[in-house]
Amino acid sequence: GPAQDVVLRASYSYGFKPPSVGQIAPSLSYDAYFYDEDLGQLYQIPTVVRGGNPDLSPEDSDSISAGLILTPAALPGLRLSVDYTHIKKNGEIASLWDGLIADNADLFPGRVERDPDTGRVTFLDSSLVNIDYSVVEAYDIQADYRFQTRRGTFNLYALATHNTRFERKLTASSSLDEYVGFLDGPLDWSGNLGLTWRQGPWMLGWNMQYYNDYFVYNASDSDSPAQIESVSRTQGSPKIPSQHYHDISFRY
């Protein structure tokens, strides 16, 4: 009956992860060039700290997943599946870019120092940090259909991932930013579509890979028109257009 055609599955898990030895190893200090958006200048910061942070705290996460598998008896060879994933990670260990820390010095006390006369950054600590939390939601969709004919066996398949949410809250007092579709986040959609044919020692296959378009700047740059304009001018467009690639394989 119909109940035999459908399989439901669900799971919940809790994860706890302490920082690795490399993540708490002493940081390295050196000078580095930095483009200061506030001043509109490119200059050298005498002291930049990068790498591990001995004050890091462990991460913990809650994840929920649910899905269904459909194998209809009325259409042998067809398999459809849809899976939903929700993950919330607290205290995620992350590496933040220099510009984000410099532009939000009030959110990261002790990590940015500026010359009182010139306003230039003289010290920048961009070592690893524990951000407040991040949330990920995504759907994975897969379809396979295998059928036999007198001219061989055909296998049609499709796989797609739809990221509906990737939010990050860097600190308790900062805003909640959405990263899907930005340079530093996942794509909205990506997937594969393909067809293979087999007959005796022969095999012929075609596969198409699809990648959604995305912005050429980071999610945090959304509130910075100057940064968006600068990056877009360098790239030639504010977005990288969607892309698809085709592969053809042959075997005997």
Side-chain angles (χ1 to χ4, degrees):
Q4 296 176 325
D5 297 347
V6 180
V7 174
L8 300 177
R9 53 189 177 186
S11 67
Y12 166 81
S13 62
Y14 170 78
F16 176 87
K17 180 183 177 183
S20 66
V21 173
Q23 290 173 327
I24 60 174
S27 305
L28 300 176
S29 301
Y30 49 90
D31 56 7
Y33 280 97
F34 171 68
Y35 179 77
D36 195 320
E37 185 180 335
D38 292 335
L39 301 178
Q41 298 176 359
L42 176 67
Y43 55 84
Q44 198 169 25
I45 302 176
T47 306
V48 176
V49 179
R50 304 191 195 279
N53 179 0
D55 297 324
L56 288 174
S57 301
E59 303 174 337
D60 68 81
S61 64
D62 295 277
S63 62
I64 300 171
S65 63
L68 63 85
I69 303 173
L70 178 64
T71 52
L75 196 58
L78 177 64
R79 181 185 186 277
L80 300 172
S81 67
V82 178
D83 290 283
Y84 165 78
T85 302
H86 173 102
I87 302 173
K88 182 179 181 182
K89 185 178 288 188
N90 299 298
E92 179 184 1
I93 298 174
S95 176
L96 306 180
W97 51 100
D98 295 348
L100 176 63
I101 297 174
D103 294 341
N104 297 274
D106 56 325
L107 299 178
F108 305 100
R111 285 181 169 258
V112 182
E113 295 178 6
R114 289 183 180 267
D115 185 291
D117 297 323
T118 64
R120 289 187 172 189
V121 176
T122 57
F123 171 82
L124 179 67
D125 182 357
S126 63
S127 60
L128 296 174
V129 298
N130 288 103
I131 67 172
D132 192 17
Y133 71 85
S134 60
V135 178
V136 173
E137 286 185 347
Y139 291 87
D140 290 298
I141 306 163
Q142 182 173 351
D144 292 278
Y145 182 43
R146 182 187 298 269
F147 56 96
Q148 183 84 34
T149 72
R150 289 184 298 175
R151 297 183 180 274
T153 301
F154 293 85
N155 184 35
L156 178 65
Y157 61 89
L159 303 91
T161 297
H162 180 31
N163 292 289
T164 56
R165 186 181 179 192
F166 182 15
E167 296 177 334
R168 266 183 166 178
K169 192 169 173 40
L170 299 182
T171 69
S173 57
S174 66
S175 61
L176 185 63
D177 296 322
E178 174 60 67
Y179 285 71
V180 173
F182 289 90
L183 180 64
D184 53 346
L187 297 176
D188 187 4
W189 281 94
S190 61
N192 289 269
L193 175 66
L195 175 67
T196 59
W197 165 79
R198 288 182 172 85
Q199 175 77 310
W202 299 90
M203 190 281 290
L204 184 64
W206 162 77
N207 177 267
M208 186 272 288
Q209 305 150 51
Y210 172 80
Y211 303 95
N212 211 154
D213 58 2
Y214 62 93
F215 290 106
V216 297
Y217 48 86
N218 295 321
S220 63
D221 294 334
S222 299
D223 298 327
S224 176
Q227 177 69 3
I228 293 176
E229 195 277 331
S230 174
V231 175
S232 300
R233 184 175 62 250
T234 301
Q235 172 63 35
S237 170
K239 271 191 170 185
I240 300 294
S242 60
Q243 304 163 56
H244 50 88
Y245 302 89
H246 298 266
D247 298 304
I248 296 176
S249 57
F250 166 78
R251 187 175 68 222
Y252 176 73

